[in-house]
Amino acid sequence: MSLLQVTIAGVDFKNPVIAASGAYGFGREYNRLYPIGKLGGVSCKGTTLHTRSGNPAPRIAETPSGILNSVGLENPGVDHVLEFDLPWILKQGTVVISNVAGSTVEETCATVEKFSESKTDMIELNISCPNVKQGGAAFGVCADSAAAVTREVRRVCKKPLIVKLSPNVADIGEIAKAVEAEGADALSLINTLTGMRIDIKTRRPILRNNTGGLSGPAVFPVAVRMVSEVYRQVQIPIIGLGGVASWQDGVEMMLAGASAIQVGTAMFTDPFTPLKIIDGMEEYVREQGLSNISELTGAAKLWE
Ligand SMILES: Cc1cc2nc3c(=O)[nH]c(=O)nc-3n(C[C@H](O)[C@H](O)[C@H](O)COP(=O)(O)O)c2cc1C
C-alpha cells in the first residue's frame, strides 16, 4: 500500500485529496491544466433531477478570506450528466463521486436511483438543499429530516453513500449520528455557512438572493471543530472540508478526524492547490516516519 492511499467505504483512493463539489465542475476545465487523475477523487457538481439555471446574479460576493455564493445548484440535470459528463470523467483515473441534491425526498431519490444504475464510484448526498415541502428549510438542519431523507435514499442507493452535512445547525454531532443510524457509509463536512453582505451605498444586499454560503479559509476553524466533534460520535469515516488551502490545513483536518479531505474555494485562486497539497502531505508523512497517511486520522490529542 502506498503512503497516501486511503480506503473509504470500500473504495480505494490513491491519495486523500478530493476536489469539492461545485468548485471543479466535472473536471474538464482543470484537465486542461493537469491530468485530473492525479487527484484521489472528484466530487462532481451537485446534480438534480431536472436542469436548474440557479439563482439570479449577482451570486458571488467577496469577503475577507473567503467568498459568499448563492449559485443555487445550477446544473444540467441528471440525464445530461449521465450522457455527457460521467462517461468522460470515469475515464480519467480518479474516484468519481456523484453529488446529488433535490428539493423533495422523491426528487432526490429519483436522481440517486439514476446514478445508482451508472458506473459512478460513490454518491454524495447534499442535504443542505432547501426542502420545498417543509417550507424551504434544508433537510440537513434537523436530525429528523436528515434521517428521513437518508433512510429513503439508502433504500434506492446501491453505491457507497456519503452524506454531506450542513454546518448551519446547533449540534452537528446529533445530525451525524442520525444519518449514520440510517445507513450512511461515510460523512462529508462542512458545506457552506449562511452569510450576508450589504452594499452601504445602495443599502441592498450584494447577492441578489440576499444571503449566500460562506466558504474559503474563513470557515476553516469551524470545519476543524465540527470534524473533531463528529469524529468522536460516529464510527463511519469522515471526509473533511471547508477552507482547506494548504497541505498543512489538510494534515490538520486529518488530525481532527478526517480520513480524506476535499478542496473547494482555494482552487479559484490557485487551480493547482490540490496537487500542492498531495506533494506536501506526502513529504510530511515521510518526515513523520508513518507507514500510511491514515495514521493521522483523529490523532490530535485533545486537552482533558
Ligand atoms: C461556487 C460554489 C458552488 C458549490 N456548489 C456545491 C454543490 O453543488 N454541492 C455541494 O454539496 N456543495 C457545493 N458547494 C460547497 C463546497 O463543496 C464546500 O462544501 C464548501 O465550499 C466548503 O469548502 P471550501 O471552503 O473548500 O470551498 C459549493 C461551493 C461553492 C463556493
Side-chain angles (χ1 to χ4, degrees):
M1 189 152 113
S2 82
L3 282 182
L4 294 189
Q5 190 190 325
V6 296
T7 304
I8 295 174
V11 178
D12 291 330
F13 291 72
K14 61 171 81 89
N15 62 64
V17 181
I18 304 167
S21 178
Y24 216 69
F26 294 87
R28 278 200 183 84
E29 297 77 9
Y30 287 87
N31 201 60
R32 289 190 211 128
L33 303 174
Y34 52 83
I36 64 166
K38 287 180 182 253
L39 271 62
V42 172
S43 176
C44 298
K45 176 60 194 169
T47 302
T48 49
L49 188 58
H50 304 294
T51 311
R52 278 175 66 117
S53 50
N55 291 321
R59 49 189 201 177
I60 299 277
E62 294 209 20
T63 69
S65 213
I67 58 168
L68 271 183
N69 92 83
S70 58
V71 168
L73 287 171
E74 175 176 349
N75 78 94
V78 63
D79 291 338
H80 183 282
V81 170
L82 290 174
E83 194 176 346
F84 296 101
D85 301 303
L86 196 60
W88 179 83
I89 194 169
L90 281 169
K91 285 191 239 142
Q92 306 310 315
T94 187
V95 172
V96 177
I97 303 173
S98 294
N99 181 289
V100 171
S103 312
T104 62
V105 173
E106 295 74 18
E107 188 193 326
T108 309
C109 286
T111 312
V112 168
E113 260 184 293
K114 290 190 179 224
F115 276 122
S116 238
E117 298 301 324
S118 78
K119 293 205 156 54
T120 195
D121 296 307
M122 304 180 93
I123 291 178
E124 180 174 56
L125 173 66
N126 173 9
I127 56 172
S128 309
C129 185
N131 180 348
V132 288
K133 285 206 178 151
Q134 288 190 2
F139 294 119
V141 299
C142 86
D144 287 348
S145 54
V149 69
T150 306
R151 186 181 317 131
E152 296 308 314
V153 164
R154 182 73 277 179
R155 281 199 190 130
V156 296
C157 181
K158 298 179 199 146
K159 304 280 181 182
L161 176 64
I162 306 164
V163 178
K164 184 166 177 178
L165 304 184
S166 166
N168 302 309
V169 297
D171 182 355
I172 196 159
E174 188 198 353
I175 314 252
K177 283 189 287 182
V179 159
E180 178 183 41
E182 296 299 343
D185 297 305
L187 301 171
S188 55
L189 58 137
I190 59 175
N191 212 314
T192 54
L193 279 149
T194 307
M196 184 179 193
R197 305 245 21 216
I198 299 167
D199 182 324
I200 61 166
K201 288 195 199 99
T202 61
R203 301 187 178 189
R204 289 271 199 193
I206 295 172
L207 297 175
R208 183 67 180 73
N209 189 53
N210 293 322
T211 60
L214 182 65
S215 63
V219 309
F220 181 68
V222 178
V224 172
R225 186 266 292 176
M226 289 189 161
V227 167
S228 172
E229 258 180 47
V230 169
Y231 178 71
R232 278 160 184 79
Q233 298 183 58
V234 300
Q235 305 301 316
I236 51 177
I238 300 167
I239 301 172
L241 76 157
V244 173
S246 65
W247 68 262
Q248 290 92 336
D249 294 342
V251 168
E252 194 174 328
M253 196 60 105
M254 290 190 70
L255 290 172
S259 296
I261 58 156
Q262 291 186 4
V263 185
T265 302
M267 297 188 295
F268 294 154
T269 41
D270 179 0
F272 294 92
T273 306
L275 304 189
K276 293 177 183 170
I277 294 179
I278 294 166
D279 289 347
M281 280 180 142
E282 180 156 15
E283 212 176 306
Y284 177 80
V285 168
R286 269 185 220 289
E287 259 175 36
Q288 296 281 312
L290 308 179
S291 54
N292 180 266
I293 194 160
S294 53
E295 289 167 41
L296 295 176
T297 300
K301 292 173 267 181
L302 300 196
W303 301 103
E304 294 299 316

